[in-house]
């Protein structure tokens, strides 16, 4: 049988891709600008501690909990329709957040933003799968899509900081409104519609079970990350894991599962998903300590700290855009593996940081790390979306996003717990003589608390306490970065071995792994 050459994208599809980068950038912006606005909205709305946590966390919780469901809903009602509905809802919810006059209003607005945001990421990725059938063009399109997310991450602190210097805290939420409006206006003309020809029946029990499992697990992990785990959080985590197990069992029995577990039988899909999740795990865990280092040890402001990560985003964009060129001639496994070795070198640079190193070495290590992670972000997502048949693309993209969210939560929780243990172990016994018991207890808790109490002590005593805390925290950062280095090197080896049969990205569709044998299992 003669292979059919897939059609190449036209100018309309590339303009459509530009439209798809808008919601992706807005999601990234919304994840970063709120942290800058917290002091301002706290002074205005005066939320309690638990309320402030809900303002920050409810958005990410609901996105993580609804991604897979929304990916499946898109197959029902149409991917473009879901994207446009979600874009309009996200813009309206962002406006609602900007105009909130109470803590309760802001929490509700953030929750609505989370629900709407869950429709955007899987919709954009699945539409790319529909619009770009040619493997080389699809690889480039996915690199552009990832670059837009990186750009949003970099621009968030810069734009948000500029807005907060001249306007009220709600102005950071208004960034999404014109973008959402542009998406809704241009989307119907530039984006195609796609529905699964046989979507099956939506199972409400699976939707509820997945939401409960995801929210419970993410909540429990965040508690561990904050070193605030108690009996309640442990119980919630255990319940989440139990519900997740029941969800998997139910999916195996359903004729029309919410999540088709056969996707995981595809080696390209499962290996790429695992690699991406663990890459994000290492990156998030390390960045959790780097962000504190540049503020608490180096002494940069939040806005200056945001500027420090801009080179990282630029490096990610450059790397992801160059990846399709390399993957045209070299097998993806080897491109990804070489990139991971480079990323490990960047993490190794971060593992040499000292209390007096400054931010220059942070920028160097971060740039090298992001240059190395770019191929995995680009090719990993491409293999995930390409490994699934078109009617399963929504679920595949949603699983990819969920894996990234879980990798981030686990990275911060696990690496955060290890780093915190190192910090507390190092600072114990190194505090200067004469430190008041209350100040000592606070300094042994976190570096932020140490900085705070040092300001209230006599000058010499405060400097000595701060020096001990900075040394202990830097040891924690070096430990976490060292563990990240080892993990990423292991991933480099595993990727080279497990994905070695995946062909280079070529015009005949070779980046899909083992399409003839693996994709056939999805046929009815």
């Amino acid at each position: 049988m003669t292979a059919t050459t897939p059609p190449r994208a036209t100018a309309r599809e590339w303009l459509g891709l530009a439209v798809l980068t808008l919601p992706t950038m807005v999601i990234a912006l919304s994840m970063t600008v709120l942290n800058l606005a917290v002091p301002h909205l706290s002074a205005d709305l005066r939320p309690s501690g638990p309320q402030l946590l809900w303002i920050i966390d409810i958005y990410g919780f609901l996105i993580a909990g609804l991604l897979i469901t929304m990916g499946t809903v898109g197959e029902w009602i149409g991917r473009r329709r879901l994207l446009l509905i979600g874009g309009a809802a996200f813009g309206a919810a962002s406006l609602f957040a900007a105009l909130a006059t109470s803590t309760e209003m802001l929490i509700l607005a953030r929750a609505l933003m989370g629900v709407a945001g869950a429709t955007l990421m899987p919709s954009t990725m699945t539409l790319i799968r529909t619009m770009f059938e040619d493997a080389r063009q699809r690889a480039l399109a996915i690199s552009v899509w990832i670059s837009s997310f990186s750009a949003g991450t970099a621009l968030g602190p810069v734009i948000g900081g500029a807005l907060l210097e001249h306007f009220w805290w709600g102005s950071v939420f208004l960034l999404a409104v014109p973008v959402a409006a542009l998406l809704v206006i241009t989307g119907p003309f530039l984006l195609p519609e796609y529905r699964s020809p046989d979507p099956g029946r939506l199972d409400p029990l699976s939707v509820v079970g997945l939401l409960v499992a995801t929210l419970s697990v993410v909540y429990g992990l965040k508690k561990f990350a904050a070193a605030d785990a108690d009996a309640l959080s442990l119980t919630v985590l255990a319940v989440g894991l139990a519900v997740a197990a029941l969800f998997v069992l139910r999916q195996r029995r359903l004729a029309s599962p919410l999540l088709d577990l056969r996707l995981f039988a595809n080696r390209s899909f499962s290996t790429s998903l695992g690699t991406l999740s663990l890459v994000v795990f290492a990156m998030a865990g390390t960045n959790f300590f780097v962000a504190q280092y540049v503020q608490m040890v180096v002494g940069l402001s939040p806005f200056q700290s945001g500027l420090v990560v801009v080179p990282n985003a630029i490096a990610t964009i450059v790397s992801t855009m160059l990846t399709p060129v390399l993957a045209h001639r070299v097998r993806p496994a080897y491109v990804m593996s070489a990139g991971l070795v480079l990323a490990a070198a960047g993490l190794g640079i971060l593992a040499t940081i000292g209390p007096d190193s400054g931010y220059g070495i942070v920028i160097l290590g971060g740039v090298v790390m992001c240059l190395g992670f770019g191929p995995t972000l680009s090719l990993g997502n491409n293999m995930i979306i390409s490994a699934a048949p078109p009617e399963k693309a929504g679920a595949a993209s949603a699983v990819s996003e969920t894996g990234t969210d879980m990798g981030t939560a686990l990275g911060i929780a696990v690496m955060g717990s290890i780093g915190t243990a190192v910090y507390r172990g190092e600072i114990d016994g190194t505090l200067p003589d004469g430190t008041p018991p209350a100040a000592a207890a606070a300094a042994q808790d976190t570096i932020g608390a140490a900085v705070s109490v040092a300001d209230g002590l006599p000058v010499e005593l405060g400097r000595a306490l701060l020096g001990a805390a900075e040394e202990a925290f830097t040891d924690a950062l070096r430990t976490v970065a060292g563990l990240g280095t080892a993990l990423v090197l292991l991933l480099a080896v595993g990727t080279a071995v497990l994905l070695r049969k995946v062909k280079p990205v070529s015009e005949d569709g070779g980046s899909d792994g083992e399409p003839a044998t693996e994709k056939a299992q999805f046929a009815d």
Side-chain angles (χ1 to χ4, degrees):
M1 183 173 63
T2 303
T4 302
T5 302
R8 292 179 62 82
T10 65
R12 182 173 183 266
E13 280 75 32
W14 290 108
L15 287 173
L17 177 63
V19 173
L20 291 178
T21 63
L22 297 176
T24 306
M25 189 176 295
V26 134
I27 288 287
L29 283 169
S30 299
M31 288 179 174
T32 55
V33 295
L34 180 63
N35 292 334
L36 293 176
V38 163
H40 303 269
L41 68 87
S42 296
D44 185 19
L45 302 181
R46 299 187 181 278
S48 64
Q51 286 177 325
L52 184 58
L53 289 177
W54 277 113
I55 291 172
I56 296 171
D57 291 337
I58 191 65
Y59 174 74
F61 280 1
L62 287 174
I63 284 183
L66 292 172
L67 275 170
I68 293 176
T69 298
M70 292 304 182
T72 302
V73 169
E75 309 300 337
W76 272 64
I77 69 172
R79 296 170 183 170
R80 184 182 67 184
R81 178 179 295 180
L82 180 65
L83 177 65
L84 297 180
I85 292 172
F90 194 89
S94 298
L95 180 61
F96 183 32
L99 301 177
T101 57
S102 69
T103 299
E104 293 75 15
M105 284 180 64
L106 185 55
I107 292 174
L108 176 60
R110 290 281 291 170
L112 294 174
M113 288 174 65
V115 174
T119 70
L120 300 179
M121 297 301 281
S123 296
T124 56
M125 201 170 181
T126 50
L127 282 171
I128 289 175
R129 175 71 172 84
T130 302
M131 294 159 59
F132 297 91
E133 297 183 48
D134 177 84
R136 288 179 62 188
Q137 289 187 321
R138 183 167 60 246
L140 178 58
I142 289 177
S143 292
V144 172
W145 179 77
I146 293 170
S147 296
S148 68
F149 190 88
S150 300
T153 302
L155 290 174
V158 177
I159 297 176
L163 287 173
L164 290 170
E165 287 185 5
H166 299 92
F167 305 101
W168 89 113
W169 59 264
S171 62
V172 299
F173 294 109
L174 294 179
L175 290 170
V177 177
V179 175
L182 187 60
L183 170 66
V184 172
I185 292 170
T186 60
F189 302 100
L190 295 175
L191 300 177
E193 185 57 282
Y194 179 89
R195 295 182 186 86
S196 174
D198 183 22
R201 185 178 66 87
L202 189 65
D203 180 43
L205 190 58
S206 294
V207 173
V208 174
L210 182 60
L211 181 62
V212 170
T214 306
L215 293 184
S216 300
V217 170
V218 173
Y219 173 81
L221 293 175
K222 280 184 172 287
K223 282 291 187 180
F224 272 98
D228 193 26
D230 52 18
L232 175 60
S233 59
L234 289 173
T235 301
V236 170
L237 179 60
V239 169
L241 294 174
V243 173
L246 292 174
F247 171 82
V248 170
L249 292 175
R250 184 169 180 81
Q251 301 314 293
R252 291 182 179 275
R253 295 197 302 265
L254 290 175
S256 301
L258 181 66
L259 175 60
D260 194 334
L261 300 179
R262 291 177 297 176
L263 286 169
F264 295 92
N266 184 305
R267 177 180 290 187
S268 296
F269 178 90
S270 55
T271 302
S272 298
L273 177 63
T275 302
L276 273 173
S277 299
L278 289 173
V279 158
V280 173
F281 173 96
M283 189 186 303
T286 304
N287 286 341
F288 178 70
F289 284 89
V290 168
Q292 296 178 75
Y293 173 83
V294 295
Q295 292 187 63
M296 302 299 176
V297 179
V298 179
L300 301 184
S301 68
F303 177 67
Q304 292 171 326
S305 300
L307 293 177
V308 167
V309 303
V310 170
N312 292 7
I314 295 173
T316 302
I317 292 170
V318 170
S319 181
T320 53
M321 294 305 296
L322 288 176
T323 295
V325 179
L326 297 174
H328 176 46
R329 299 186 180 275
V330 183
R331 289 180 181 265
Y334 304 140
V335 177
M336 292 169 65
S337 182
L340 290 172
V341 171
L342 181 62
L347 286 164
I349 292 172
L350 295 176
T352 66
I353 285 177
D356 301 321
S357 295
Y359 60 82
I361 192 171
V362 173
I363 294 176
L364 175 62
V367 166
V368 174
M369 178 182 71
C370 291
L371 283 172
F373 281 145
T376 295
L377 297 175
S378 176
L379 294 174
N381 277 293
N382 184 37
M383 282 190 281
I384 287 172
I385 198 68
S386 299
E391 64 273 13
K392 300 293 182 182
S397 63
V399 169
S400 174
E401 294 298 329
T402 303
T404 299
D405 287 344
M406 287 297 182
T408 300
L410 274 171
I412 294 174
V414 175
M415 295 290 215
S417 297
I418 293 172
T420 299
V422 171
Y423 171 78
R424 291 173 178 172
E426 289 292 329
I427 199 172
D428 187 30
T430 63
L431 292 174
D433 294 334
T435 302
Q444 290 170 339
D445 189 25
T446 65
I447 180 70
V451 172
S452 178
V453 299
D455 290 337
L457 297 176
V459 175
E460 292 300 323
L461 182 60
R463 287 177 179 172
L465 183 146
L466 194 57
E470 290 175 349
E471 185 64 50
F473 186 82
T474 305
D475 284 343
L477 170 57
R478 286 196 293 260
T479 300
V480 168
L483 291 173
T485 302
L487 173 61
V488 172
L489 286 174
L490 288 175
L491 288 175
V493 175
T495 299
V497 173
L498 295 175
L499 295 177
R500 66 187 184 279
K501 293 183 179 180
V502 180
K503 298 176 182 178
V505 177
S506 59
E507 294 186 5
D508 61 0
S511 68
D512 295 355
E514 296 128 310
T517 56
E518 295 196 2
K519 288 186 179 179
Q521 65 188 294
F522 293 102
D524 294 327

